[in-house]
Amino acid sequence: MIISHSKKFIFLRCRKTASASVQQYFANHIDPEIDFAGQMTSLNFPGINDNREAKNPHVALQVALRKSKEYNITKDKLKDYFVFCFERNPYRKCISHYLYHHKYTEIEQHKWFKDMSFKSYVSHPSKPTDRHMYTEGAKILANHVAKFENMDQEMEFICKKIGVPYTGLPHLHKGKSDIVLDDWYTHEDMKKRVQQLFKWELQTFNYKYE
């Protein structure tokens, strides 16, 4: 998460949407004296003005507003900030989430991924459903929910909006780009499970099985 008082924007980090790369990019364009950027321990990024004991980089907007002393932002001032995040096709987001934790993570609470098949993972309740980070009930609190699939165009739009130059995004955690969904969703009930869990995202952002 980034809260920039100097540039008047808030970036919310949704999972498996190149959020580490996006945060790293914008962290280079904010004021270390007054702005906030969350820690990213996997990248050895200590954060900016981040003295929290909890190392969770995925902070919901509502949580930040409730902890106004910690994050120095209040709901009455929110209208002055451009709030944005990225979302991703849920079918591909689940594969990325599974692969990352299955192959790379050493975080204790995620080690259950190690010996789990993708089919078992789809049936498990732990999924990267992140709408709670940028919504309140059915209302979207963010000014802009960008699509991961249109990364460069979205970054150009966001950078222009907040007055930051865009020179291209380095992908710090590179995932597979040649994934064929049918190779992973081998049973119809697997597709239906994702449809059920991400029904709101699929309808709101018009995502398809593609």
Side-chain angles (χ1 to χ4, degrees):
M1 180 184 210
I2 292 179
I3 299 176
S4 174
H5 304 295
S6 61
K7 299 290 186 181
K8 296 294 183 184
F9 76 84
I10 298 175
F11 166 57
L12 304 171
R13 286 189 60 187
C14 295
R15 290 170 289 179
K16 310 317 299 173
T17 60
S19 62
S21 298
V22 173
Q23 174 156 322
Q24 187 83 334
Y25 188 87
F26 287 117
N28 293 324
H29 295 278
I30 62 176
D31 187 338
E33 294 296 321
I34 62 173
D35 293 341
F36 167 89
Q39 303 171 40
M40 295 189 291
T41 52
S42 63
L43 300 176
N44 296 315
F45 177 70
I48 297 172
N49 296 318
D50 187 1
N51 300 314
R52 297 169 303 137
E53 292 182 6
K55 303 297 193 298
N56 179 16
H58 304 286
V59 179
L61 181 60
Q62 303 94 310
V63 173
L65 293 173
R66 285 198 300 268
K67 297 183 176 182
S68 57
K69 289 183 179 179
E70 185 174 336
Y71 294 100
N72 196 24
I73 184 71
T74 56
K75 195 167 187 177
D76 62 307
K77 294 181 180 178
L78 192 60
K79 64 181 184 301
D80 299 326
Y81 290 75
F82 181 68
V83 183
F84 67 94
C85 61
F86 280 82
E87 263 297 6
R88 185 176 186 177
N89 186 312
Y91 296 104
R92 295 186 178 276
K93 191 177 186 182
C94 285
I95 294 172
S96 179
H97 187 242
Y98 168 78
L99 284 175
Y100 177 76
H101 289 300
H102 183 66
K103 292 187 176 182
Y104 304 117
T105 190
E106 294 300 326
I107 301 173
E108 191 62 35
Q109 65 263 35
H110 292 152
K111 286 188 176 179
W112 56 268
F113 277 96
K114 292 291 186 181
D115 300 315
M116 180 178 284
S117 67
F118 183 67
K119 185 177 181 181
S120 297
Y121 162 82
V122 169
S123 300
H124 196 278
S126 181
K127 295 288 184 301
T129 51
D130 296 318
R131 59 171 290 199
H132 70 282
M133 294 182 61
Y134 56 88
T135 63
E136 189 172 52
K139 181 182 179 182
I140 296 177
L141 299 178
N143 299 108
H144 184 60
V145 181
K147 286 192 173 184
F148 168 88
E149 293 79 11
N150 303 326
M151 180 61 70
D152 281 327
Q153 297 96 312
E154 295 282 18
M155 283 293 291
E156 287 178 358
F157 169 79
I158 293 165
C159 286
K160 185 176 181 180
K161 189 78 176 178
I162 63 177
V164 167
Y166 182 55
T167 57
L169 190 69
H171 292 287
L172 302 176
H173 290 155
K174 292 185 178 180
K176 292 185 176 181
S177 59
D178 58 348
I179 286 176
V180 177
L181 291 183
D182 285 344
D183 291 342
W184 292 86
Y185 296 94
T186 54
H187 297 83
E188 196 63 32
D189 60 336
M190 296 171 70
K191 299 179 190 177
K192 289 180 179 179
R193 176 63 175 161
V194 173
Q195 289 170 5
Q196 292 169 353
L197 288 171
F198 293 89
K199 181 179 179 180
W200 184 87
E201 291 89 342
L202 289 165
Q203 292 180 347
T204 302
F205 303 114
N206 197 33
Y207 278 120
K208 310 294 183 185
Y209 182 78
E210 57 186 21

